[in-house]
Amino acid sequence: AQTVTQSQPEMSVQEAETVTLSCTYDTSESDYYLFWYKQPPSRQMILVIRQEAYKQQNATENRFSVNFQKAAKSFSLKISDSQLGDAAMYFCAYNNAGNMLTFGGGTRLMVKP
Amino acid sequence: EPEVTQTPSHQVTQMGQEVILRCVPISNHLYFYWYRQILGQKVEFLVSFYNNEISEKSEIFDDQFSVERPDGSNFTLKIRSTKLEDSAMYFCASSYGGVSYNEQFFGPGTRLTVL
């Protein structure tokens, strides 16, 4: 069974600085998809960024980028120029077939003004 | 912007009672999901639903659980006889297509408390 691990329960970053959230996963599959979801306080989870495992190029979405290391089974999220609105729970998730997402335990990101 | 909505936001029930959690997915979406998150634990997949039938379910989704799309807009999760360990946040989600290439949109969740 696939597992997703987020080793940092909490992280903090100064506004305008850069922060990296870690995620590792375990799978025997070669073709799969990875996601980062953001859950602001009392709000819906929203998709931040996705990565196809067959793509070597790291995905980027504005201030959000990933460092995908397939051999190491690592998928970290980098947030540049952190803003107060980035404060949230961040979940890493995995999908390889079907429609099931397997989530990590989440990292709570605090942004200090 | 279209959103997934869920009602109620908080449900309190006695052990052994039946509960129905309701969700209104985004109107043109075809795939529907339920997830749950026990306090302090991971978000866990329960079930996916497509073309009026269950397409996938996890080990958690046993005979106590059922899902239904009773009309063109609602998607429900029924727990027949609640247990204390069913206390959790339940998230509904929907997507236009399969999750690999189509974003899953999540609702705000229903907090279920079983006493």
Side-chain angles (χ1 to χ4, degrees):
Chain A
Q2 291 82 14
T3 57
V4 179
T5 301
Q6 294 178 247
S7 58
Q8 306 151 317
E10 275 190 7
M11 292 281 285
S12 68
V13 62
Q14 207 70 34
E15 199 175 2
E17 298 291 304
T18 296
V19 65
T20 299
L21 308 184
S22 300
C23 173
T24 58
Y25 57 93
D26 186 25
T27 183
S28 57
E29 304 293 333
S30 59
D31 195 18
Y32 49 87
Y33 307 85
L34 297 164
F35 308 82
W36 278 98
Y37 277 85
K38 171 186 177 181
Q39 186 181 36
S42 304
R43 299 282 303 277
Q44 278 94 322
M45 259 196 294
I46 55 174
L47 180 65
V48 175
I49 199 164
R50 65 188 292 277
Q51 173 82 43
E52 295 94 334
Y54 63 85
K55 288 188 178 178
Q56 292 186 332
Q57 188 173 7
N58 289 324
T60 63
E61 287 287 341
N62 301 313
R63 297 183 296 108
F64 297 88
S65 61
V66 298
N67 183 5
F68 172 50
Q69 301 288 328
K70 191 171 184 179
K73 296 179 183 173
S74 168
F75 181 62
S76 59
L77 174 70
K78 185 170 88 170
I79 306 174
S80 304
D81 185 26
S82 297
Q83 301 174 0
L84 294 177
D86 294 334
M89 282 291 289
Y90 286 82
F91 294 96
C92 178
Y94 166 100
N95 164 262
N96 79 296
N99 293 302
M100 182 175 82
L101 287 176
T102 301
F103 284 89
T107 297
R108 182 175 303 282
L109 178 66
M110 294 172 286
V111 181
K112 299 176 183 176
Chain B
E1 191 170 324
E3 284 187 335
V4 176
T5 60
Q6 291 185 243
T7 55
S9 57
H10 190 191
Q11 173 97 41
V12 181
T13 189
Q14 294 290 326
M15 190 169 57
Q17 295 296 303
E18 175 184 286
V19 294
I20 297 176
L21 309 183
R22 290 182 167 80
C23 168
V24 179
I26 293 173
S27 62
N28 67 338
H29 283 184
L30 304 175
Y31 292 75
F32 314 109
Y33 315 85
W34 283 102
Y35 291 82
R36 80 171 185 191
Q37 186 180 29
I38 295 170
L39 187 64
Q41 298 186 23
K42 294 184 177 186
V43 176
E44 299 171 294
F45 170 82
L46 292 178
V47 66
S48 63
F49 191 85
Y50 170 72
N51 200 26
N52 282 319
E53 61 183 22
I54 291 173
S55 53
E56 251 180 299
K57 61 181 181 178
S58 70
E59 292 173 354
I60 303 167
F61 194 87
D62 61 22
D63 292 344
Q64 291 284 82
F65 293 89
S66 63
V67 289
E68 195 178 28
R69 188 152 162 82
D71 52 43
S73 59
N74 289 284
F75 180 52
T76 61
L77 174 70
K78 182 193 290 186
I79 308 175
R80 288 192 181 82
S81 177
T82 49
K83 305 176 191 136
L84 295 176
E85 54 265 37
D86 293 327
S87 294
M89 280 289 284
Y90 287 82
F91 295 102
C92 174
S94 69
S95 63
Y96 179 74
V99 71
S100 300
Y101 287 98
N102 293 269
E103 181 177 349
Q104 277 192 15
F105 290 81
F106 284 81
T110 292
R111 180 171 300 284
L112 176 65
T113 302
V114 182
L115 302 175

